[in-house]
Amino acid sequence: RRQRGGEDTASLAFSSSKKVAKISENRQKMGRSRSVHLLVIFSVASMIVTLTLTQSSTSTAKYNSSHYAESFRAPHLRAAEGSFSRRNLSEANMTMTNDPTVLIESKSKADDAKGADQIASDPEPAPPRSAKKADQSKNSDNRPSGVIYQYISPPPVNLDARVGLQGKIRNLVDLHNATSTALCGIVKDSEPYLDEWVDYHFGLGFHTIYLIDNSKDHELLTWQDKRRKAGYSVRVMPKPGSHRQMYGYHMCAAEHKDEHTYMAFMDVDEFLVLKRHETIDQMLADHLQEGSLAISWYVFGSGKTATYAPLPVTKRFTFRDGVEKHDRHKAWANVKSIMKTSDYGGYPQSPHSMKTKRGTWKDTTGGGSFDKIGAENYARPTDVAVIHHYKYLSPKEFQWKSCIRQTVDAKLKDCVGGKATAYQGRVPDDSAWQLLKKNVPRYAMFDEFEDFL
């Protein structure tokens, strides 16, 4: 019994030691398991932090990359956050306020107050609000016209170069004259005709020419800078999108009316012909004391041309409509306006007439027979001044202009069934060409070239 009792005690002791060893082993496993769990948790947390930082870095890199790409493609169209969007640039959702002389973007005043001083040449943080306010009037989209657009200060006109122009352009005015006349027009895909139009009107004594650039990427910016460097007082303001003609005229008048005595509103296919005066200032001194002066059209057709030729427009097209009823173009009564800037009355009702706060529309007779908005004058006097409207150009050019390009109002105008309506003109008239050669003599060289097209 004693021996069996000793064996039982030994067996119990061995069993107990095995249990203790098992418990110890289990505790070690649990410890290792906790360690593994903690390690997994720590690893997951680290991965989350790493992914977050990576995503943030990638997002920043993408923003900087796209911002740089945008600035490289079109630095003049860059807009900082809070200023205006790409859609604002291309569509510019403009709405009228209760005051029709002011146009505003469809956004809050708080957003407008941010201004466009955030636009910079580098993707740097915007300056403090106080710094932006101090320069708000100089470099801001909150322009006096109320129209939101990318304002870019032009380089100064090179006055030394301008001295050299005096022998090349007759009637080139002194930029410091107390009395001056400016010209405003809107341009869309008209580069082949632009220089002739500008030179022609500087030859009539216009002080400054303002152009509303309707291209998507401010394509005339470089042209402006080169012209100003050469001594010409030109100013280009970008306004892409559709329905821009009256916005453009309003921009010119509202923002520059205090710099000039008079302002004319014509497009790049319209040339003013003076019949009794040497310069525009002389004519307006006789015929515009207040309000707006209406100048009638002659509409020029394609004549015998077929397609484009690299020659002046005023030389290529010399057949127009007449004054008799059977010779008139269907738009024979249309006019364009020259306004006394101190009488500007706000946003125009039509691109053919400007609203005035004093006086009304008159023609060169001192009267006129106008429609209710001043866009047409059925009296149509042409003995003092008339506008040569080269609307049709050659048939091929007019086909592209009417059925492919679209107007600044996003319309396929004068296009029926995919074909542009033609007009030839019947009355010969090369007076604009003769006037161009007289006032800008270097154009006479084109008489050596025939238009075979």
Side-chain angles (χ1 to χ4, degrees):
R1 276 195 220 107
R2 287 177 185 166
Q3 183 176 359
R4 196 179 302 119
E7 289 175 355
D8 291 339
T9 300
S11 176
L12 181 61
F14 177 76
S15 176
S16 297
S17 65
K18 283 182 68 176
K19 288 182 180 180
V20 169
K22 186 70 173 178
I23 291 171
S24 176
E25 182 181 354
N26 288 339
R27 285 179 178 175
Q28 288 178 0
K29 286 183 179 180
M30 289 176 64
R32 285 195 300 270
S33 177
R34 286 196 187 100
S35 298
V36 170
H37 289 163
L38 289 174
L39 181 60
V40 170
I41 292 171
F42 178 79
S43 299
V44 171
S46 298
M47 289 174 64
I48 292 173
V49 172
T50 302
L51 287 172
T52 302
L53 291 174
T54 303
Q55 186 176 11
S56 175
S57 174
T58 303
S59 177
T60 302
K62 284 182 179 179
Y63 169 79
N64 288 336
S65 175
S66 63
H67 190 89
Y68 174 78
E70 176 68 3
S71 67
F72 180 81
R73 187 186 70 82
H76 43 276
L77 292 180
R78 279 177 294 150
E81 182 182 358
S83 175
F84 50 87
S85 68
R86 172 64 59 189
R87 186 181 177 210
N88 297 143
L89 277 172
S90 60
E91 299 297 334
N93 289 328
M94 311 299 293
T95 58
M96 295 292 295
T97 63
N98 291 331
D99 180 358
T101 67
V102 179
L103 302 175
I104 62 169
E105 185 83 28
S106 299
K107 61 180 182 179
S108 69
K109 291 183 179 179
D111 287 338
D112 285 341
K114 293 179 181 178
D117 289 333
Q118 297 173 6
I119 299 170
S121 58
D122 296 309
E124 297 176 351
R129 191 177 184 83
S130 59
K132 290 189 291 182
K133 273 190 173 181
D135 205 31
Q136 183 84 347
S137 62
K138 182 179 178 183
N139 295 308
S140 173
D141 293 318
N142 300 324
R143 304 298 301 155
S145 62
V147 177
I148 307 297
Y149 72 96
Q150 174 69 57
Y151 178 80
I152 304 172
S153 297
V157 174
N158 186 334
L159 298 181
D160 291 333
R162 189 172 180 82
V163 172
L165 295 177
Q166 292 176 353
K168 299 178 180 179
I169 300 179
R170 291 183 61 183
N171 307 315
L172 190 70
V173 301
D174 183 347
L175 294 182
H176 300 96
N177 281 355
T179 300
S180 69
T181 304
L183 174 59
C184 174
I186 187 166
V187 182
K188 179 179 180 179
D189 300 319
S190 298
E191 293 83 357
Y193 321 106
L194 182 57
D195 283 314
E196 177 192 359
W197 184 79
V198 167
D199 291 339
Y200 178 94
H201 288 97
F202 278 135
L204 295 182
F206 279 90
H207 178 284
T208 299
I209 294 179
Y210 298 98
L211 293 172
I212 307 303
D213 183 0
N214 193 229
S215 66
K216 293 181 179 179
D217 298 326
H218 199 353
E219 294 169 356
L220 294 180
L221 179 65
T222 301
W223 176 89
Q224 168 200 261
D225 294 351
K226 289 179 178 179
R227 274 277 185 170
R228 291 178 73 89
K229 185 177 180 180
Y232 296 91
S233 182
V234 297
R235 179 75 175 90
V236 176
M237 296 174 282
K239 194 59 184 171
S242 60
H243 305 287
R244 290 292 171 260
Q245 191 165 19
M246 288 186 288
Y247 283 124
Y249 286 175
H250 173 68
M251 287 164 66
C252 290
E255 299 194 17
H256 300 286
K257 60 185 176 64
D258 296 333
E259 302 169 35
H260 307 283
T261 313
Y262 310 103
M263 186 173 289
F265 301 86
M266 294 182 289
D267 297 326
V268 179
D269 58 359
E270 297 170 331
F271 290 70
L272 177 65
V273 175
L274 302 179
K275 301 291 188 69
R276 300 183 183 179
H277 301 83
E278 181 75 16
T279 69
I280 183 64
D281 287 349
Q282 293 170 1
M283 191 273 284
L284 295 178
D286 288 345
H287 294 281
L288 182 55
Q289 281 69 50
E290 65 177 19
S292 178
L293 180 68
I295 307 295
S296 294
W297 270 355
Y298 277 148
V299 181
F300 279 70
S302 300
K304 300 177 182 179
T305 64
T307 187
Y308 172 78
L311 296 170
V313 167
T314 52
K315 171 180 167 59
R316 295 171 61 205
F317 307 107
T318 56
F319 290 91
R320 59 168 174 82
D321 73 328
V323 296
E324 302 298 328
K325 187 173 182 180
H326 67 278
D327 270 339
R328 293 173 184 168
H329 185 271
K330 62 182 180 181
W332 67 272
N334 281 359
V335 300
K336 280 299 186 72
S337 294
I338 306 176
M339 178 191 66
K340 193 163 186 179
T341 55
S342 59
D343 293 335
Y344 180 54
Y347 189 77
Q349 292 178 283
S350 163
H352 294 277
S353 64
M354 300 303 292
K355 186 185 296 183
T356 60
K357 62 184 180 183
R358 187 170 70 97
T360 184
W361 311 290
K362 295 179 181 179
D363 60 26
T364 52
T365 68
S369 177
F370 293 94
D371 65 356
K372 63 181 180 180
I373 61 172
E376 295 181 332
N377 181 14
Y378 304 104
R380 200 195 196 190
T382 59
D383 59 324
V384 175
V386 66
I387 291 174
H388 287 194
H389 186 199
Y390 298 93
K391 172 180 178 177
Y392 290 92
L393 303 173
S394 69
K396 187 172 183 179
E397 289 167 279
F398 192 58
Q399 174 71 21
W400 174 81
K401 177 181 175 181
S402 301
C403 298
I404 299 174
R405 184 201 69 171
Q406 295 187 342
T407 67
V408 295
D409 294 327
K411 297 177 180 178
L412 292 176
K413 194 174 181 179
D414 299 300
C415 184
V416 179
K419 186 173 179 60
T421 55
Y423 180 75
Q424 281 193 320
R426 198 176 69 84
V427 179
D429 184 348
D430 69 344
S431 55
W433 172 235
Q434 298 303 328
L435 199 56
L436 175 59
K437 291 190 294 180
K438 173 185 173 182
N439 291 333
V440 193
R442 67 177 180 268
Y443 276 84
M445 66 171 287
F446 288 102
D447 274 334
E448 300 296 321
F449 299 89
E450 292 186 45
D451 184 357
F452 296 107
L453 297 172

